[in-house]
Amino acid sequence: MRSWKLAVSTADRAPASAPILLHGTISDNLVQAGKLGYQAIEVHTRETEEFDYQAIKEAEKKSGVKVCMVITGRLNTEGKCSLTDDRPYVTHAAMQGMKQYIDMASKLGADIVIGWVRGQIPENGNRESYLKRLARNLKILSEYGTSRHVKLNIEVINRYETNIFTTAQETVDFLETYKLDNCYVHLDTFHMGIDERDFKKAIYACKDRLGYVHIADNSRCYPGSGYIDFKEILDTLEEIGYKGYLSVECLPYPDRISAAKEAADYLKRII
Ligand code: LER
Ligand code: MN
């Protein structure tokens, strides 16, 4: 049996409705994550944040925990930018913001996640032309990432939150069609429970293209609290040779620390 690397979601602050478990500075969150049994943290942040990279490196060394991923959703939720928007000045701002995230990830030795910032196809919009626009922009970002040793992970998100990349197969097909070599698929077990018919098949569809995995149970609470079969998921991830992180991104119930602890304890039990 192989040993899995566990990560946990963090931010400087987040509403109670967000699936983010640790709040505070990156340095404090690294220490807290280590105490709870995690090897890494993912950081949900704005692209404009100016971190003290030296202090973060020292905190990583001291805690033995690293920053594995920079999450870009706030460029969309707060910054109102998307990579498919009809207004060129909005996509331009989205591209600028994404380059800032890639620079940040490069300094942290991390990769990035592209979730909501991909945007939405408007009702009655020509799907093909929006996907072409998205592919063109992702190609530029993918190359920008390659030059800075940062991988782009495209999150598969359920149909109630987006209408682009709602299944693993759709996402893999897109990455292959547009030859986006530095882009990977990012699965989230909560979203999979809504839009995938078969967890095993979805994971197999990604194979070498799987870059990152979010872990939450069917109600989006901590793994082990619901009915998702995580044992089967881990076995399948092992079968395809997945070597990335299992990152707990779940709702902070009954409270943030208990959820983080329950999740780590549960995952370690079944590993
Ligand atoms: C982000 O990782 C995610 O899963 C989306 O549902 C936004 O929360
Ligand atoms: Mn997620």
Side-chain angles (χ1 to χ4, degrees):
M1 211 30 154
R2 44 164 306 203
S3 64
W4 294 98
K5 299 181 290 185
L6 302 185
V8 62
S9 58
T10 74
D12 54 347
R13 59 187 163 77
S17 57
I20 297 177
L21 295 181
L22 304 187
H23 294 188
T25 65
I26 292 183
S27 297
D28 288 348
N29 287 334
L30 286 166
V31 174
Q32 177 76 279
K35 284 186 189 151
L36 292 163
Y38 292 90
Q39 286 83 52
I41 63 171
E42 59 171 46
V43 178
H44 295 241
T45 182
R46 280 310 296 266
E47 72 288 2
T48 45
E49 205 67 52
E50 287 178 14
F51 296 121
D52 180 345
Y53 292 98
Q54 191 51 40
I56 293 171
K57 282 272 160 293
E58 279 159 26
E60 284 185 326
K61 224 183 210 171
K62 224 164 149 182
S63 62
V65 177
K66 69 167 294 216
V67 177
C68 65
M69 202 64 66
V70 173
I71 315 285
T72 63
R74 280 162 73 174
L75 176 56
N76 176 257
T77 54
E78 296 171 14
K80 311 295 176 206
C81 289
S82 103
L83 296 168
T84 48
D85 203 282
D86 281 321
R87 294 161 295 181
Y89 56 90
V90 174
T91 43
H92 181 76
M95 293 295 279
Q96 285 307 112
M98 291 308 291
K99 286 178 180 171
Q100 286 175 283
Y101 276 126
I102 291 171
D103 290 340
M104 183 186 277
S106 180
K107 287 184 209 154
L108 290 166
D111 294 318
I112 67 162
V113 159
I114 297 182
W116 283 338
V117 77
R118 61 176 163 271
Q120 299 263 7
I121 298 171
E123 223 176 289
N124 304 320
N126 180 317
R127 193 169 177 88
E128 215 42 49
S129 60
Y130 282 92
L131 290 182
K132 271 195 186 138
R133 179 183 297 162
L134 180 57
R136 201 169 52 235
N137 288 334
L138 284 176
K139 186 96 186 161
I140 296 166
L141 295 175
S142 171
E143 285 165 6
Y144 190 84
T146 300
S147 69
R148 285 155 180 79
H149 309 289
V150 173
K151 290 181 181 147
L152 282 53
N153 296 286
I154 317 288
E155 185 167 24
V156 181
I157 294 181
N158 79 73
R159 75 185 86 165
Y160 303 110
E161 296 183 37
T162 185
N163 57 14
I164 311 176
F165 310 142
T166 56
T167 65
Q169 191 65 58
E170 175 198 350
T171 314
V172 175
D173 289 347
F174 176 89
L175 298 183
E176 301 284 335
T177 302
Y178 291 100
K179 301 188 176 20
L180 295 164
D181 295 337
N182 189 35
C183 292
Y184 293 81
V185 183
H186 163 19
L187 293 178
D188 178 321
T189 56
F190 163 69
H191 297 306
M192 290 173 86
I194 297 170
D195 274 300
E196 302 291 355
R197 295 181 191 173
D198 183 322
F199 279 70
K200 217 174 159 71
K201 278 194 188 141
I203 293 169
Y204 263 96
C206 301
K207 286 219 204 85
D208 294 349
R209 280 276 191 180
L210 186 61
Y212 198 51
V213 177
H214 269 161
I215 300 283
D217 221 313
N218 59 289
S219 68
R220 213 170 201 181
C221 286
Y222 59 83
S225 64
Y227 54 70
I228 289 182
D229 185 348
F230 287 99
K231 184 87 181 66
E232 183 197 52
I233 290 172
L234 294 192
D235 287 346
T236 313
L237 289 172
E238 190 170 2
E239 282 163 29
I240 66 156
Y242 175 69
K243 300 217 163 31
Y245 286 89
L246 303 173
S247 186
V248 175
E249 188 204 46
C250 67
L251 292 171
Y253 302 139
D255 61 78
R256 296 185 289 106
I257 301 300
S258 306
K261 196 167 162 14
E262 289 285 350
D265 291 351
Y266 172 75
L267 290 171
K268 282 178 183 169
R269 262 201 316 278
I270 63 162
I271 281 169

